[in-house]
Amino acid sequence: MARKGFIFDLDGVIVDTAKYHYFAWKKLAEGIGISFTEADNEHLKGVSRIRSLELILEWGNKEISSEEFNALLTAKNDDYLSFVNKMTKDEVLPDVPRVLDYLSDMKQPMALGSASKNARTILDRVNLLNRFDCVVDGTNVSKAKPDPEVFLIAAEGLHLPPESCIVFEDSLAGIEAANIANMISIGIGDANILKEAQFVFSDFTKISNEFLHQLISRI
Ligand code: BG6
Ligand code: MG
């Protein structure tokens, strides 16, 4: 059996933490007089914590001191973690465990490739930390998606060339990063949004074991 590297984004792919980011950003934004909608939140998917706050301030046309900036980042993360700390393994998105089990049975290397600095905490909460051969997160990268750095480090960690890797992503920036890395990009979400992905599925229930088998067997 061929060996492929399967790289998973975390937020919006393995767990639906986007809603917790939304609650925390909304509270922060409204606290400083900036309105914040779910549509705004879409633009923050895959975007680093620092860049997200910069964008919110840009949208609200607001300038603040670096001390205030850092204090807001800390408050947002504390708020976000109060949701994360209540998470259980029931919050793993449908059929993710089936896909992980199938790939493990097929002896396929698996990695996590996430922008989040909270990735290990979240994986631990939902009991998935030991399922990945390599975890690359926001603490390991210096360049944010769409830069391919996170996925290239993951491929290296799996000892596979980028061309042998397959990325599951829910954000536009992540799909772009996978394409730039010369990996197969699989969008999880809306095909009208994730237009640049090579394949798009609304969620993992639509990804059959046969499809995974074809990916493994591809040259
Ligand atoms: C990405 C999320 O996975 O991680 C973004 O899609 C988030 O919304 C980014 O801002 C950074 O996450 P964290 O947990 O380090 O604040
Ligand atoms: Mg994501």
Side-chain angles (χ1 to χ4, degrees):
M1 184 58 74
R3 280 173 84 250
K4 293 284 158 58
F6 286 84
I7 306 176
F8 294 78
D9 173 48
L10 176 67
D11 297 310
V13 168
I14 291 181
V15 282
D16 181 19
T17 37
K19 59 177 184 249
Y20 302 140
H21 279 297
Y22 170 63
F23 297 148
W25 283 131
K26 190 173 174 68
K27 184 171 162 188
L28 176 148
E30 291 179 349
I32 52 172
I34 300 174
S35 71
F36 186 77
T37 64
E38 287 197 49
D40 296 326
N41 194 53
E42 277 303 305
H43 296 283
L44 303 185
K45 285 188 178 172
V47 176
S48 75
R49 199 182 307 168
I50 291 178
R51 185 65 195 136
S52 296
L53 182 51
E54 285 171 356
L55 283 171
I56 292 171
L57 294 169
E58 274 171 42
W59 297 336
N61 222 346
K62 203 172 168 76
E63 282 183 23
I64 58 174
S65 68
S66 61
E67 289 77 22
E68 205 184 336
F69 189 94
N70 290 332
L72 285 175
L73 275 189
T74 305
K76 186 269 171 179
N77 198 49
D78 288 348
D79 207 16
Y80 176 64
L81 284 177
S82 70
F83 294 108
V84 166
N85 289 331
K86 287 188 217 112
M87 286 177 83
T88 66
K89 63 178 178 17
D90 295 341
E91 285 184 64
V92 173
L93 287 168
D95 270 22
V96 169
R98 193 252 313 155
V99 168
L100 296 177
D101 286 347
Y102 180 78
L103 294 174
S104 289
D105 289 349
M106 293 289 126
K107 309 263 180 293
Q108 298 302 302
M110 288 184 270
L112 191 92
S114 167
S116 171
K117 293 186 171 160
N118 296 305
R120 283 173 187 274
T121 308
I122 295 169
L123 284 178
D124 195 32
R125 287 256 20 123
V126 299
N127 268 348
L128 289 179
L129 191 52
N130 61 357
R131 297 302 304 265
F132 297 94
D133 303 292
C134 165
V135 173
V136 185
D137 64 20
T139 65
N140 308 115
V141 295
S142 55
K143 293 177 227 135
K145 300 170 186 175
D147 190 284
E149 183 184 25
V150 61
F151 297 140
L152 293 174
I153 297 176
E156 242 177 74
L158 297 178
H159 310 292
L160 285 166
E163 312 77 70
S164 299
C165 293
I166 294 132
V167 172
F168 296 103
E169 253 294 346
D170 70 316
S171 73
L172 268 171
I175 292 292
E176 208 182 321
N179 290 340
I180 295 170
N182 215 2
M183 300 177 177
I184 293 178
S185 54
I186 303 189
I188 302 293
D190 186 339
N192 293 317
I193 296 175
L194 304 173
K195 286 196 185 82
E196 289 177 28
Q198 282 164 270
F199 303 92
V200 182
F201 297 93
S202 53
D203 56 51
F204 280 95
T205 65
K206 306 289 186 313
I207 301 185
S208 66
N209 289 352
E210 289 69 33
F211 175 74
L212 296 170
H213 192 268
Q214 280 167 24
L215 289 173
I216 297 168
S217 317
R218 264 166 95 115
I219 307 211

